[in-house]
Amino acid sequence: MKPRQRTSPTARRHAAAPSSRRRMLVMGGVLAVASLALAARAFDMQVVRKDFYQNQADARILREVPIAVSRGTIFDRNGEPLAVSTPVVSIWANPAEVLDNEDKLPALAKAIGMDADALKQYLAQRSEREFVYLKRQMPPDAAQVVLDLGVPGVNGQREFRRFYPSGPVMAHVLGFTNIDDHGQEGLELAFDDWLAGKEGRKRVIRDRQGHVVEDLELVRAPQPGRDITLSIDRRIQFLAYNELKNTIQQSDADSGSIVILDVRTGEVLAMVNWPTYNPNALRGSDPSSRRNRAMTDVVEPGSTIKPFLMAAALSSGKYTPTGPMVDTGNGNFYYISHTIRDTHAYGLLSPTGIIAKSSNIGAAKVAMTLDTGLMSDTYRAFGFGNSTNSGFPGEASGYLKPGKSWGMLEKAILAYGYGLNVTPLQLANGYATIADNGVMHLPTFVKGSDNEPKQIIDPKIANELVQMMVAVTQPGGTGAPYAWIPNYGVAGKSGTAHKATAGGYSKNNYSSAFAGIVPASSPRLAAVVVIDNPRKGSYYGALVSGPVFVKVLDGALRLLDVPPDNIGRWYVGGPLQGQNGLTGTKQPTVETVDDAPVEGATP
C-alpha cells in the first residue's frame, strides 16, 4: 500500500485559482444579463410603451380641472339685483387617502357636519373612486376651517351659489337653480343658456395629496354668464305681494294671483302668486306652492269676459255703447232648458248698462244676435285659447272650443264667461290690448323687448270699450266704490264665477276676479286680480279682488309718476250718464254671480 501524498499549500492555491476565475466569469455574466435586461426594460418603457407609461404618470400627476364661472345677474327694470351668484367652496376627497388617516375622521366629520361613523361608511363604500363630494357649496370661511385640518386627500373646489335677495316675493317669476347652478324653473330656466355662461378648463399638476402645485396651460377660457334686465319693477312687485297675501289670509282663500302690464309695451311690471315659497331654502317647501299660477293655472273668467263680447258686438255694427236697448226682463231668462239669472230685474239696458250692471241676461241676448264666426274670431284675436308666447316655461294655453261647434246656448254661456278658461296673464293681456287702442303686444319679462305689436280691433271701438268699463266704477256700477282710485279714472270689470267640480259646478266655491285699466283717459297699466275660493266675508269679485286692485294700482301709479286724470271728481263722465237711473247715487249695485251652465248650481 502506497503512502498518501501530501500537497503543499502552494499547490492547493494553484488548484483553486481556476475555480475563482470561473466564479468571477459567472458573476460577470449574470451582471451582463441583468444589465441587458434593464436596458431592454428601459427601452420598452421609454420607447416601445412610452405613451402608455406617460399616460399613467399623467393620470397621477396631470389633471384637467374646471374653472367655475359666475352665472349672470338678474336685475329689475330699475337696476336692483333680483338674482345674484355668490362664491362658495365644495369639499371633495379621495376616499382611499382619507381612510388611510382614520384618526383624523372625527375632526373632519365634525367640520362638515356629519357623524364620524357615517362618514367612514360613506368613504368605504366609495373607496375605489378618486373623487367624491363631502359637502357642497359651503361658505368660504367654513370651508377653510375644513381645509385647515390638513387631512390628506381632502380638497376644496370653488363654485357659485344662487341667492335671491327678494326671497318669496319674486319666487314664481325667477324660479331657481339646482346645486350645479342650472335653471330649473321660471326665468332661470327660460334664460338658462343666456345666464349660465360656459365654464373654462385648465391643465394642472397636483401632488400626491391632490393639491395643485402648478398651472400648466389654459385649455378653454371661461365665459361668464350674461346679465339680464327684467321688465319687473321690484317696488310694485313688493306692493302686490303684500296686498295679495293679506287679502288671501283675511278671506281664508285657497290661492290668488295678480298680474300688472304696461299697456304700451306688454312688459310685465309685476306678477305675484300666493301661496309662495322661498327659493333660498327649497328643502321642505310644498311643490304646489312653486307653481306660477298666473301662467300655469286656468280659470273660467266669468263676467270679466263681457268687454270682449262687447268688442264683437260693436265690431258687428249692430250695437253702439248706447244702443239698441236690450230687455233683460225680470232677472230670469229661460232658454233651452237653462235659466240665466241676474240678481235684479234691470229691465231695458244699453250695452254700456249691461257692462255696468254685469247683466248675464243682457250679455247672453247680445251674443245670440251675433254671427258665431265673428264672436269666436274676436275671442281668439284677443288671445283666448292660445298661449301668449311670453316664453315662460310651462305656460298654459287655456281652452276655447272652435267656433264652428258653438250652439246658441253655448254662445249665451260664453257671453258671461263659462265654457272657456284663461290664465290671469291672458286676461290681463286682453285688457291691455283694449287699453292700447286695440293694439296687442306680446307679454314680455325683458325690459325693452316689444315684439311686433298687432292691431286687433278698431281704435275707436277700443276707446268706446274703455268708456263702457268706466261705467262699472261709477255710482250704480258693480265696481263702485270698491274699484275707485282717488284722482284717477278706472275702467274695469269684476267677475264672480262658480268653480267647476267633478260632474258640474260647485254651489259654494267661487273664483273672484277684477280686471281693470288705469288711468282711464290715457291708459298706462292693465291688471288682473284673481282670488280662488274665498271663505270669509264676501266672495264677489268687486268686493274681494277690487280692493286689491285699488291698493296696488294706486301705489303703482304714484311710483311710476303717472299724472292724475280725475282730480277732485268722484268718477269720470262717460256714455252711461243719464241712462236707466245708473247715475245720481253712490250706492253700489249687488254684483251678479255669473250663473254656472248647469241647472241647480246657482245659489
Side-chain angles (χ1 to χ4, degrees), residues 68 85 108 372 403 424 441 458 460 479 527 542 564 570 579:
S85 290
L108 176 61
T372 301
H441 304 265
D458 186 275
K460 179 176 180 293
W570 199 82
Q579 294 180 29

Side-chain angles (χ1 to χ4, degrees), residues 54 62 97 117 120 179 603:
Q54 184 66 51
L62 292 181
E97 290 188 43
D117 291 336
K120 182 178 179 180
I179 199 167

Side-chain angles (χ1 to χ4, degrees), residues 234-357:
R234 187 178 66 93
R235 304 167 301 171
I236 300 175
Q237 183 85 359
F238 268 94
L239 182 60
Y241 173 85
N242 288 329
E243 293 300 336
L244 184 68
K245 174 184 176 182
N246 291 340
T247 297
I248 290 176
Q249 291 177 341
Q250 291 168 7
S251 62
D252 192 25
D254 290 340
S255 62
S257 301
I258 180 170
V259 179
I260 303 174
L261 300 180
D262 185 325
V263 304
R264 301 173 184 175
T265 63
E267 293 179 348
V268 180
L269 298 180
M271 178 178 285
V272 176
N273 301 278
W274 184 269
T276 185
Y277 67 99
N278 187 351
N280 296 310
L282 284 173
R283 183 172 297 177
S285 63
D286 183 356
S288 66
S289 69
R290 301 177 194 169
R291 289 205 315 272
N292 186 344
R293 298 170 189 269
M295 305 287 294
T296 64
D297 288 16
V298 294
V299 296
E300 288 182 293
S303 284
T304 59
I305 203 69
K306 288 173 183 172
F308 305 101
L309 166 72
M310 288 303 172
L314 299 180
S315 297
S316 72
K318 296 180 180 181
Y319 295 89
T320 69
T322 57
M325 306 299 281
V326 178
D327 186 4
T328 64
N330 63 1
N332 289 280
F333 175 51
Y334 184 78
Y335 183 76
I336 311 180
S337 72
H338 180 72
T339 301
I340 301 173
R341 299 180 178 90
D342 288 337
T343 55
H344 291 73
Y346 294 124
L348 293 175
L349 289 175
S350 69
T352 297
I354 291 171
I355 292 291
K357 292 297 186 182

Side-chain angles (χ1 to χ4, degrees), residues 103-117:
D103 59 313
K104 296 189 176 183
L105 281 179
L108 176 61
K110 181 179 180 181
I112 63 175
M114 286 185 69
D115 178 77
D117 291 336

